[in-house]
Amino acid sequence: MRNLIYPRARSWFALVALAGMVSALALAAPPEGKLDFHTSSLFVEGCSCSIPCTCEMGQMRHGCQGVGAVVITSGSFNGTDLAGTRIAYATMPGSWIRLYLQSKSDVQGKALTEFAKRAFADFGKVESVKSAVVEVTGKDGNYSLKVDGGKIMELATEPVLGLDKKTPLSYNNTFNPISPTVMQGKTSKGSYHDGDRSFTLGGSNAYFNANAKGNGKV
């Protein structure tokens, strides 16, 4: 027997199908547009490059590997307070990045995850995001970074002083949204070990800023 579907029924079925497709696409589509943020933080990182590394200047060096951390003292992302949160990362800029986050609540952690992914998007594909204990101590360019007590990540830096032998060399208007101004440092030692990724650092480039100010959209 031949199935009979009247014209109106066909139109109704088509509208239902179209609505279903639109809903599915809306759920699958990533969020559009950049979101507001502003942060005050301590920023420190070290990498395998000779001084100075050009990655923060927008020129990714092939083979550069590094680790770093951001200790956010105040600020927000898309309306969520980020004060007291910490971000650590390991990366081969232009290729991959792994994020290690410390937050005070699930809501804050969710916002921090999205913020970190957007802020470090240029560093490459996000391979993983994990909760971790991120420790940063020191001052004036002499910093110590440890993730999970140094089992995953460790970094020690010292400042590189300029002509006056008192203040470190500095670079302004870099491509780092969290710390557009960075001071020149040197990595005295560093290491990263997590799964299939592993490297060590020493006598190479480092950047830092104890009063990093970031704001805008990411």
Side-chain angles (χ1 to χ4, degrees), residues 170-181:
S170 63
Y171 309 93
N172 299 316
N173 197 31
T174 71
F175 285 83
N176 184 333
I178 294 175
S179 183
T181 296

Side-chain angles (χ1 to χ4, degrees), residues 3 17 25 52 65 73 83 101 106 119 138 146 148 158 160 179 189:
N3 292 323
L25 288 171
Q65 296 183 104
T73 53
L101 309 180
D106 291 341
K146 292 183 179 180
D148 284 354
E158 58 189 77
V160 174
S179 183
K189 68 174 183 178

